[in-house]
Amino acid sequence: MRHPDRPAPFAYAEDSGKPAGFIVDVTDEAAKRLGLKVDYKSTSVTGSLAGLTAGQYDLASSGLGVTEERQKSVDFTKPLFWSTVTVLTTSKSTISTFDGFNGKRVGVVTGSSQEAQLPTRIPKAQPVRFQAQNAAVSQLLNGSIDAFLVGGPDATEFMKQYKGLRQAVSAPVDHPTSMAVPKNHTAFLKALDKEIGAMVADGTYAKLYRKYFTTQPQPELLAAWPALKTQFPGAK
């Protein structure tokens, strides 16, 4: 299952409509090793989680932050990525701290992990909620909001697309990014984790990581998968 609105690198639709991205590649490789065929469906973050609990989907592979609240309703694979949270603003702004956006109109995507982080990161922000990232970026560019709180890799891709955007401030998050499965699908979850571990061990994961990311893995991801330390010798 892919997310229709996210830019590269996690999960997005090519011009042809074909799903692509880091999490999609990981999903395809794991499915191949398990002898499974993936039937991708477009949905939102909230739609994917609701679909898992309703039995509509078997897997959410858009790259979800593993939050305590989400763990109440779904189970997650072992970490696939460790991200950062970024305040995306325009080049006209000179603010460079989280606190600097207190009192400002800050966009978040409904149901995203960034929405949950906003009260902690920018406690006095004026939240403006969107159903999709592209809508938030459009409103940021036309001045309707002052900033957009979003995952670091997504922010990087938006800055590549729109030269009028800049990163005001960024910080590591306290949770990994993973795929999610319905509660009590223990056998499927174990099978996925086993294949992800095999991909890490044989270098496939590192190859896919380098295809989409130029930054080194965060220390927390290296701690989760010690084999990556030798595959990314410059990472700390």
Side-chain angles (χ1 to χ4, degrees):
M1 181 179 59
R2 66 182 173 84
H3 192 294
D5 180 58
R6 298 195 71 164
F10 286 105
Y12 62 99
E14 295 179 337
D15 292 340
S16 64
K18 180 182 177 182
F22 173 67
I23 298 292
V24 173
D25 281 2
V26 171
T27 300
D28 287 343
E29 180 64 24
K32 181 174 122 177
R33 296 182 183 211
L34 289 169
L36 300 174
K37 180 181 179 181
V38 184
D39 181 17
Y40 287 101
K41 303 293 183 181
S42 299
T43 188
S44 63
V45 171
T46 52
S48 67
L49 295 171
L52 289 175
T53 58
Q56 184 179 0
Y57 306 129
D58 300 302
L59 179 69
S61 58
S62 60
L64 294 167
V66 182
T67 65
E68 185 176 345
E69 184 63 27
R70 289 173 177 174
Q71 286 178 305
K72 295 177 182 178
S73 59
V74 299
D75 288 329
F76 288 91
T77 64
K78 292 182 179 178
L80 294 176
F81 190 81
W82 211 287
S83 192
T84 56
V85 61
T86 292
V87 177
L88 195 61
T89 189
T90 68
S91 55
K92 296 178 182 179
S93 171
T94 59
I95 301 173
S96 59
T97 65
F98 285 108
D99 287 347
F101 288 94
N102 278 321
K104 303 294 185 180
R105 296 160 299 173
V106 180
V108 288
V109 171
T110 300
S112 68
S113 60
Q114 290 80 37
E115 181 186 28
Q117 293 178 63
L118 182 60
T120 301
R121 299 286 184 181
I122 314 173
K124 297 181 181 179
Q126 298 178 34
V128 182
R129 293 174 173 82
F130 296 89
Q131 293 300 312
Q133 288 187 343
N134 284 338
V137 170
S138 176
Q139 293 297 299
L140 177 59
L141 288 167
N142 70 26
S144 295
I145 60 175
D146 301 298
F148 177 31
L149 193 66
V150 65
D154 290 344
T156 298
E157 293 302 319
F158 280 124
M159 286 187 288
K160 290 178 183 177
Q161 293 179 38
Y162 305 103
K163 300 304 180 184
L165 298 178
R166 75 171 182 89
Q167 175 180 298
V169 59
S170 184
V173 297
D174 60 0
H175 59 265
T177 296
S178 299
M179 297 185 289
V181 302
K183 280 286 187 184
N184 302 318
H185 281 47
T186 307
F188 182 42
L189 182 61
K190 287 183 177 179
L192 280 172
D193 280 339
K194 180 180 178 181
E195 295 308 328
I196 294 168
M199 291 164 62
V200 170
D202 66 21
T204 300
Y205 173 91
K207 180 179 178 181
L208 294 177
Y209 185 101
R210 290 189 175 98
K211 178 180 175 181
Y212 292 99
F213 304 105
T214 57
T215 58
Q216 296 281 50
Q218 293 287 333
E220 294 88 347
L221 187 65
L222 299 179
W225 299 106
L228 292 177
K229 294 179 182 178
T230 58
Q231 297 171 24
F232 294 89
K236 298 180 181 178

